[in-house]
C-alpha cells in the first residue's frame, strides 16, 4: 500500500528547506476530524478551511457542525492564522449526485459519489483562488479508505490543474490525537458521517 503520509512529510520537508510556506485549501467534514490536521499542518501552510458538506442530513446539523468548526479555529492556539469559508447548505446537490444509490451501505458507491462531489468543489475553489494545494480531513477517519480518497484527489487535481496534498491523517496516531483534542475542546462528536442514510445505518446498528 502506498505511504500517503510520507508524501505529506516530503512536501513539509521541502517547505522547511525553502522556508516558503504554501497555501492550502483544506476541506473539512467536522471539527473533531480537523483538530489534529490543523494542529499538524498550520505551522507549515497558510490554511483556509473549506466547510462544504451538502451530504449533511439537516440544516440544524449543518449549522451545528459549522459553528463547532468556527469555534475550534478561534480557540486553538494555531501556529499561523487559519481562515474559514463556510459554504451554503445545499442538500439538493448531494441528493442529485447520489440518485439511484440510496440503498447502498455506508462505504459503498454512494460514498464514492459523495467524496467526489466534495473534493471536486474543493479543487475548483482551489484553482479559482490560486491555492498551492488542496486536500481533505476525511482520511483521518479509521472508517474511510485513504487509497480511495487519494485516488479521487489525484483525479480532481488533474482535472482542475491544482496540486493535491496526498495524505493519510489517521497515521502516526493522528486519529488518536484528534480524539484527545476533541475532549480538550469539548467538541461535538457525531456518531454518523452526515447523511440521512448513514444516520439510519448508525441507528440500526445501535450507534445512534
Amino acid at each position: 500500500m502506498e505511504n500517503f503520509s510520507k508524501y505529506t512529510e516530503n512536501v513539509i520537508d521541502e517547505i522547511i528547506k525553502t522556508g516558503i510556506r504554501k497555501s492550502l485549501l483544506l476541506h473539512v467534514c467536522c471539527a473533531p476530524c480537523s483538530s489534529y490536521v490543523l494542529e499538524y499542518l498550520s505551522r507549515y501552510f497558510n490554511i483556509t478551511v473549506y466547510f462544504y458538506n451538502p451530504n449533511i442530513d439537516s440544516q440544524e446539523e449543518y449549522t451545528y457542525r459549522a459553528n463547532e468548526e468556527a469555534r475550534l479555529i478561534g480557540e486553538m492556539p494555531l501556529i499561523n492564522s487559519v481562515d474559514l469559508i463556510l459554504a451554503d447548505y445545499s442538500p439538493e446537490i448531494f441528493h442529485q449526485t447520489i440518485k439511484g444509490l440510496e440503498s447502498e451501505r455506508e462505504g459503498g458507491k454512494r460514498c464514492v459519489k459523495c467524496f467526489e462531489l466534495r473534493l471536486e468543489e474543493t479543487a475548483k475553489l482551489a484553482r479559482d483562488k490560486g491555492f498551492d494545494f488542496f486536500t481533505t480531513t476525511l482520511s483521518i477517519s479509521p472508517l474511510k479508505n485513504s487509497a480511495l480518497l487519494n485516488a479521487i484527489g489525484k483525479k480532481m487535481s488533474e482535472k482542475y490543474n491544482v496540486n493535491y496534498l496526498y495524505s493519510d491523517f489517521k497515521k502516526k496516531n493522528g486519529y488518536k490525537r484528534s480524539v484527545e483534542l476533541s475532549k480538550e475542546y469539548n467538541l461535538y462528536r457525531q456518531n454518523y458521517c452526515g447523511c440521512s442514510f448513514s444516520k439510519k445505518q448508525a441507528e440500526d446498528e445501535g450507534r445512534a
Side-chain angles (χ1 to χ4, degrees):
M1 180 178 291
E2 194 167 352
N3 190 340
F4 298 111
S5 62
K6 183 62 177 176
Y7 177 93
T8 308
E9 292 172 5
N10 289 341
V11 172
I12 289 172
D13 286 345
E14 184 63 22
I15 289 172
I16 293 172
K17 179 181 177 181
T18 62
I20 301 173
R21 285 202 305 271
K22 299 293 185 179
S23 60
L24 172 68
L25 184 64
L26 177 66
H27 167 264
V28 305
C29 51
C30 62
C33 287
S34 72
S35 58
Y36 163 73
V37 180
L38 289 173
E39 180 183 68
Y40 175 36
L41 296 182
S42 67
R43 71 195 72 180
Y44 309 113
F45 294 88
N46 295 319
I47 298 177
T48 296
V49 162
Y50 185 35
F51 189 86
Y52 176 75
N53 301 288
N55 57 308
I56 293 177
D57 67 316
S58 69
Q59 177 71 68
E60 180 181 19
E61 180 74 12
Y62 192 88
T63 301
Y64 196 178
R65 295 192 192 193
N67 287 343
E68 283 289 88
E69 185 64 40
R71 178 172 71 84
L72 177 66
I73 292 171
E75 293 181 5
M76 278 191 82
L78 299 167
I79 301 299
N80 295 296
S81 62
V82 173
D83 294 323
L84 173 63
I85 298 174
L86 296 177
D88 293 335
Y89 182 51
S90 52
E92 68 283 353
I93 295 175
F94 168 70
H95 288 286
Q96 290 168 4
T97 299
I98 58 91
K99 189 175 182 180
L101 300 172
E102 293 85 352
S103 62
E104 287 277 322
R105 286 187 61 78
E106 191 170 2
K109 295 178 181 178
R110 184 184 66 244
C111 292
V112 174
K113 288 290 186 182
C114 181
F115 298 154
E116 288 178 340
L117 169 63
R118 289 187 280 173
L119 279 169
E120 181 157 18
E121 286 303 310
T122 305
K124 278 195 276 188
L125 185 61
R127 177 201 61 189
D128 294 346
K129 297 292 186 179
F131 283 87
D132 295 314
F133 290 91
F134 76 100
T135 196
T136 178
T137 61
L138 286 167
S139 70
I140 201 168
S141 170
L143 301 176
K144 299 292 190 294
N145 183 330
S146 61
L148 170 63
L149 288 166
N150 283 287
I152 295 171
K154 180 177 186 291
K155 175 183 175 182
M156 299 309 168
S157 170
E158 293 170 348
K159 183 174 181 178
Y160 294 99
N161 195 30
V162 59
N163 293 320
Y164 176 75
L165 183 67
Y166 294 89
S167 54
D168 190 356
F169 294 120
K170 71 176 72 65
K171 300 294 186 181
K172 298 185 179 296
N173 291 318
Y175 176 71
K176 180 175 180 285
R177 180 58 179 157
S178 75
V179 173
E180 294 171 350
L181 287 168
S182 295
K183 291 178 180 177
E184 181 178 342
Y185 291 95
N186 193 29
L187 297 176
Y188 164 60
R189 289 182 65 85
Q190 62 285 342
N191 51 19
Y192 65 104
C193 183
C195 69
S196 58
F197 311 107
S198 64
K199 184 177 184 179
K200 184 178 185 306
Q201 186 173 324
E203 290 171 344
D204 291 344
E205 295 173 355
R207 292 185 282 114

